[in-house]
Amino acid sequence: MPTRATPTVRQQRLGAELRKMRTAANATTDHAGGLLGLDRTKVSNMEAGTRATSPERVRLLADNYACTDERYVDALAEMAGHRTRGWWEQYRGALPQGLLDVAELEWHATRLRTVQTVHLPGLLHLSGYARAVFRSAIPALPTSEVELRLAHRMQRQQVLERDVPVPYTGYVHELALRMQFGGRRATREQLEHLCLMSEREAITLRVLPVEVGEFPGAGHAVMYAHGPVPQLDTVQLDSAHGPEFSHAPGQLAKYDAHMNWMNEHTLDTQASRDLIHTIAREL
């Protein structure tokens, strides 16, 4: 199997799950290598995501590790067998790796939930609003990179346009609705677009009004990407240094509770749409 210089987050995740299965079975890399006809270094590379594997090898390892969760094994085998280059690969080397990983994570998710406290949801951006967000970076991005990031963001929205779109729930703080990225006109157009998109069956948009007061996770954006089985869920956090990813069970439980809190305290879909309309009219 070929090696990869820079594995994606998804490739790293497959390797991490194979390592988790092996350690749960108290098996060594030498034992795994014997099963696969590989030396221990190649097994370590496979578990780091820098060496590709196959569905057959995943199933062989799972069987010898006595992993009996068929849905989980099937999901891992599917990850190993998916070698088609995604659309985001056209940006490799031109944009930071983390942005490509976000697109790949969204593409393979079975459900997406996000919390936004400053910016509006990226998958619902219009180009004028998104361009203004990218232009606000410090240090300033070159115009060419702004336009590359804009094109990448617009293409990310394919997950909502597919024949079977990814179910998407966005929790947005009221103050994010009032941030005028790109000026009054661009913001008004963006808010009207949010209302239009929120009428789609696969899209749920809920607003957290300022009257609620304090709330968990204030100050950063969160995406909870559901995998084909709960063990393969992933949390992605925005930071000044780029996207950060976590799949530790404790972190997944924390952010699942975070999303559930938002669901309980945000306005319902119609009241959220009404508030967005009201703010748009004020502009």
Side-chain angles (χ1 to χ4, degrees):
M1 292 289 178
T3 57
R4 310 178 177 107
T6 304
T8 69
V9 165
R10 181 175 169 84
Q11 290 161 351
Q12 291 174 343
R13 182 64 182 280
L14 173 60
E17 295 300 319
L18 294 177
R19 182 171 61 252
K20 186 187 301 182
M21 276 202 299
R22 177 177 59 77
T23 56
N26 293 317
T28 65
T29 52
D30 285 327
H31 175 70
L35 294 172
L36 301 177
L38 302 173
D39 62 47
R40 62 186 302 179
T41 300
K42 290 179 180 178
V43 171
S44 295
N45 290 340
M46 184 179 67
E47 293 181 349
T50 59
R51 182 179 179 83
T53 188
S54 67
E56 294 75 22
R57 283 181 167 177
V58 168
R59 294 186 185 281
L60 175 63
L61 291 173
D63 184 56
N64 281 273
Y65 295 157
C67 180
T68 59
D69 188 333
E70 293 184 6
R71 292 185 63 235
Y72 173 63
V73 174
D74 287 345
L76 294 180
E78 192 279 332
M79 290 175 71
H82 195 280
R83 299 175 188 171
T84 304
R85 289 170 59 88
W87 62 264
W88 49 88
E89 289 295 333
Q90 66 186 291
Y91 295 95
R92 187 165 300 282
L95 289 178
Q97 173 72 41
L99 297 183
L100 279 60
D101 287 331
V102 169
E104 185 177 41
L105 181 63
E106 291 170 338
W107 188 261
H108 292 288
T110 59
R111 180 188 175 197
L112 293 169
R113 293 185 289 171
T114 67
V115 175
Q116 302 290 330
T117 60
V118 176
H119 300 130
L120 299 176
L123 290 181
L124 303 178
H125 279 183
L126 291 176
S127 59
Y129 182 93
R131 184 179 284 110
V133 170
F134 296 137
R135 284 179 173 171
S136 68
I138 295 178
L141 297 172
T143 299
S144 59
E145 184 167 347
V146 168
E147 294 306 311
L148 272 176
R149 288 180 181 236
L150 177 62
H152 176 265
R153 175 149 298 183
M154 295 299 104
Q155 284 187 269
R156 279 174 53 197
Q157 297 176 5
Q158 294 177 59
V159 298
L160 303 179
E161 303 292 342
R162 299 187 306 209
D163 291 340
V164 181
V166 176
Y168 176 83
T169 299
Y171 300 109
V172 183
H173 197 280
E174 180 182 343
L175 291 179
L177 301 172
R178 298 182 181 276
M179 295 283 188
Q180 295 184 24
F181 285 95
R184 296 173 68 90
R185 179 176 178 180
T187 304
R188 182 178 66 252
E189 291 175 348
Q190 178 61 68
L191 295 181
E192 291 170 348
H193 181 66
L194 288 185
C195 290
L196 181 64
M197 296 295 286
S198 71
E199 295 177 356
R200 294 190 179 187
E201 183 177 356
I203 297 175
T204 300
L205 199 61
R206 304 275 297 270
V207 175
L208 183 69
V210 293
E211 290 82 3
V212 171
E214 66 274 8
F215 60 96
H220 63 257
V222 182
M223 177 172 70
Y224 193 108
H226 293 255
V229 293
Q231 300 98 306
L232 296 180
D233 291 354
T234 303
V235 168
Q236 181 257 312
L237 305 177
D238 284 349
S239 76
H241 306 291
E244 297 178 359
F245 302 86
S246 178
H247 51 80
Q251 291 295 303
L252 292 176
K254 171 183 175 179
Y255 286 104
D256 182 55
H258 184 173
M259 296 294 169
N260 292 337
W261 188 96
M262 286 291 174
N263 193 61
E264 293 176 4
H265 292 83
T266 49
L267 301 174
D268 65 31
T269 53
Q270 186 57 55
S272 295
R273 195 176 297 123
D274 291 343
L275 179 56
I276 297 171
H277 273 304
T278 296
I279 297 173
R281 285 196 298 268
E282 293 173 359
L283 297 171

